Amino acid sequence: MNRFENFCTRFVQSTGKKEGAVSPVITGSASFAYGDSETAEGIFEGSVKKPLYSRMGNPTSAQLENILADMDGGIGAVVTSSGMAATTLATISLLKSGDELISIGGLFGGTYSYFSETLPRFGISTSFFDVDELDAIKDAVNENTKIIFLESVGNPNMRLPDMKAIAKIANDAGVVLIVDNTITPMSIAPLKLGADIVVYSTTKIISGNASALGGAAVFRAVAEGEDKFKSARYADIHKFIEKIGKTALIANAKKRAMRDFGMSASAYNSYLTMLGLETLPLRMERIIGSVEKVVKGLNERGLKVNHPCLSFHPHHERYITDFKNGCGTLFTLDMGSKEKAFSFLNKTKIATLTANIGDNRTLALHMASTIYRDFDEKTRVFLGITEGLVRVSVGLEDPLDIIDDFLNAAK
Ligand SMILES: *Cc1c(COP(=O)(O)O)cnc(C)c1O
């Protein structure tokens, strides 16, 4: 039995209802009536668990939050208007001017510019490391380090982290580890591997059909005894821990990010995301199988393919031992030059040219002229962006059709 079987049961059982409307109900109200003043007081105080106002939470979004928290074994989740909003919520709710971040691997373009351009404007700096620079990462941690941030799979460099080793560094140093698990939902369980917070862009494979922008942050419980969140490093959230206990990280995120920045998910998008979730395990299982077939097929025919299922990839061993359920939908092709990449992309009949990933359809894009066009040469080298690099996200099509089409387009 693979890891996805159990998710098939959980997702369809938790989105549907046994009585009344089977499909999740969309609560299309921005505000909620409290009935009487005592109830209003209780809701604002937190003692009455009823909706307050849709910026702070919505019943449809709450259903999605419960499913995603359960998926990762978290105590709770907060869904947001986009994946970037989830990263912003998870980080900004812990940060203040003077703090430092350590960013490992990847990195998604939006996250990179958030760390390298936006956060510095508020006095927060980030240092960037490759997944294998473990000693340098250990040395970089100091008393101002608040967050170690890691992507589960390097996008688009396809490098795989040793998540347990990185979690050990974070835990030994008492620093929070946030993992962006957008590419590998279900395949990788960051909280079980030692992370504290998991963030997702649900826009990608969780929805699967480009119908809804969305994101989520899943939080672990704050422990009753010793916990890194109780150290002086995280003094700012101690009041939530004292008042609320194990779900303090959610209250902190809602009050410090959601309430003041307003990156709330819409009920309609949460509904569409749940429709996608119902078939996520089936789509994931099919696509990770197809990725290997397509990658190996194209590699055998002489194309320059980058994916850790290939024996010469530097993280092939790690792929076999730590990524038993694949590493998501992506691989890259190095066509050698921008001209050859453009020719390939203009000739492919199967791939849709777009910046999205994790779709039911196969998607492809030239990296240097699009997502990474504003990045300087040094950054592109660090992120593995070469002139001819094409990122591919494999979809549900017959893998043999994809191979045929790509070989033809590469001619
Ligand atoms: C797309 C993506 C994001 C951002 O998500 P949006 O929903 O587009 O805001 C963050 N991280 C990764 C790995 C992504 O692929």
Side-chain angles (χ1 to χ4, degrees):
M1 190 184 82
N2 70 32
R3 210 176 119 68
F4 302 133
E5 293 291 334
N6 174 266
F7 289 105
C8 284
T9 308
R10 286 205 257 169
F11 290 159
V12 291
Q13 291 291 322
S14 53
T15 47
K17 293 209 181 56
K18 292 288 189 297
E19 220 181 308
V22 171
S23 193
V25 174
I26 304 169
T27 304
S29 189
S31 67
F32 299 90
Y34 311 129
D36 55 62
S37 304
E38 287 72 20
T39 306
E41 184 179 32
I43 291 171
F44 276 76
E45 180 193 64
S47 60
V48 175
K49 299 281 173 233
K50 281 186 175 170
L52 187 152
Y53 181 69
S54 268
R55 175 156 36 78
M56 297 301 285
N58 169 287
T60 311
S61 296
Q63 188 182 353
L64 174 60
E65 287 168 344
N66 288 335
I67 298 170
L68 293 174
D70 177 61
M71 172 175 88
D72 271 327
I75 188 86
V78 178
V79 291
T80 54
S81 55
S82 72
M84 276 317 298
T87 297
T88 305
L89 169 127
T91 49
I92 214 86
S93 61
L94 296 174
L95 293 168
K96 67 174 188 316
S97 174
D99 285 344
E100 294 178 21
L101 268 100
I102 291 175
S103 169
I104 306 173
L107 197 65
F108 176 70
T111 311
Y112 185 80
S113 46
Y114 170 60
F115 288 165
S116 64
E117 289 179 33
T118 300
L119 285 181
R121 292 196 286 114
F122 301 93
I124 298 158
S125 64
T126 301
S127 38
F128 297 89
F129 296 94
D130 175 64
V131 286
D132 284 340
E133 292 181 292
L134 297 183
D135 289 335
I137 292 165
K138 223 181 280 177
D139 290 344
V141 178
N142 64 46
E143 71 272 16
N144 296 324
T145 310
K146 275 275 169 64
I147 293 168
I148 298 180
F149 189 93
L150 170 71
E151 273 185 19
S152 63
V153 177
N155 167 15
N157 69 14
M158 299 309 299
R159 290 175 66 74
L160 303 179
D162 180 343
M163 212 178 279
K164 274 193 189 149
I166 292 167
K168 185 170 182 325
I169 293 175
N171 287 325
D172 288 350
V175 174
V176 166
L177 176 63
I178 301 180
V179 174
D180 182 339
N181 203 33
T182 297
I183 297 181
T184 43
M186 306 173 303
S187 313
I188 295 292
L191 296 185
K192 298 204 172 88
L193 294 170
D196 303 289
I197 303 170
V198 195
V199 294
Y200 291 98
S201 165
T202 60
T203 317
K204 314 294 169 57
I205 193 160
I206 291 180
S207 296
N209 49 25
S211 60
L213 195 69
V218 183
F219 299 87
R220 71 161 170 87
V222 175
E224 268 178 32
E226 241 177 72
D227 193 299
K228 65 173 109 164
F229 284 106
K230 294 178 183 169
S231 74
R233 197 186 295 270
Y234 300 101
D236 280 351
I237 66 164
H238 289 176
K239 65 171 186 187
F240 291 106
I241 298 177
E242 280 152 23
K243 219 173 114 190
I244 293 164
K246 61 186 179 182
T247 59
L249 298 179
I250 296 160
N252 178 58
K254 285 213 167 183
K255 290 245 160 111
R256 291 255 166 76
M258 203 73 131
R259 183 190 62 192
D260 300 352
F261 292 89
M263 65 276 275
S264 328
S266 86
Y268 189 64
N269 276 9
S270 296
Y271 168 75
L272 291 172
T273 304
M274 281 189 271
L275 295 191
L277 252 179
E278 293 190 348
T279 57
L280 173 64
L282 295 177
R283 291 181 285 111
M284 192 65 144
E285 185 171 348
R286 173 169 173 86
I287 293 175
I288 60 172
S290 298
V291 167
E292 288 207 5
K293 283 184 198 145
V294 172
V295 163
K296 287 176 180 162
L298 296 177
N299 177 59
E300 276 162 19
R301 300 291 294 273
L303 291 193
K304 209 172 158 204
V305 194
N306 186 19
H307 188 276
C309 74
L310 296 169
S311 59
F312 54 79
H313 188 284
H315 293 146
H316 181 62
E317 286 302 312
R318 197 169 285 163
Y319 178 73
I320 307 263
T321 55
D322 296 2
F323 289 76
K324 291 198 170 66
N325 297 294
C327 63
T329 68
L330 300 180
F331 71 87
T332 60
L333 279 169
D334 194 339
M335 302 307 293
S337 68
K338 179 179 175 184
E339 290 67 35
K340 287 196 176 129
F342 273 32
S343 158
F344 169 80
L345 288 166
N346 291 340
K347 279 207 288 203
T348 169
K349 293 199 166 60
I350 284 211
T352 302
L353 274 51
T354 174
N356 195 14
I357 58 171
D359 199 89
N360 292 339
R361 286 147 286 268
T362 293
L363 316 175
L365 196 65
H366 178 244
M367 292 287 99
S369 63
T370 59
I371 298 175
Y372 296 93
R373 63 171 302 120
D374 293 338
F375 293 59
D376 60 26
E377 189 52 32
K378 192 170 148 261
T379 311
R380 281 195 209 169
V381 170
F382 172 74
L383 296 173
I385 315 297
T386 52
E387 275 307 312
L389 194 75
V390 170
R391 183 184 68 193
V392 178
S393 177
V394 173
L396 296 174
E397 301 92 344
D398 182 345
L400 297 178
D401 288 341
I402 302 173
I403 294 172
D404 279 353
D405 176 69
F406 278 20
L407 289 174
N408 199 40
K411 272 185 196 151

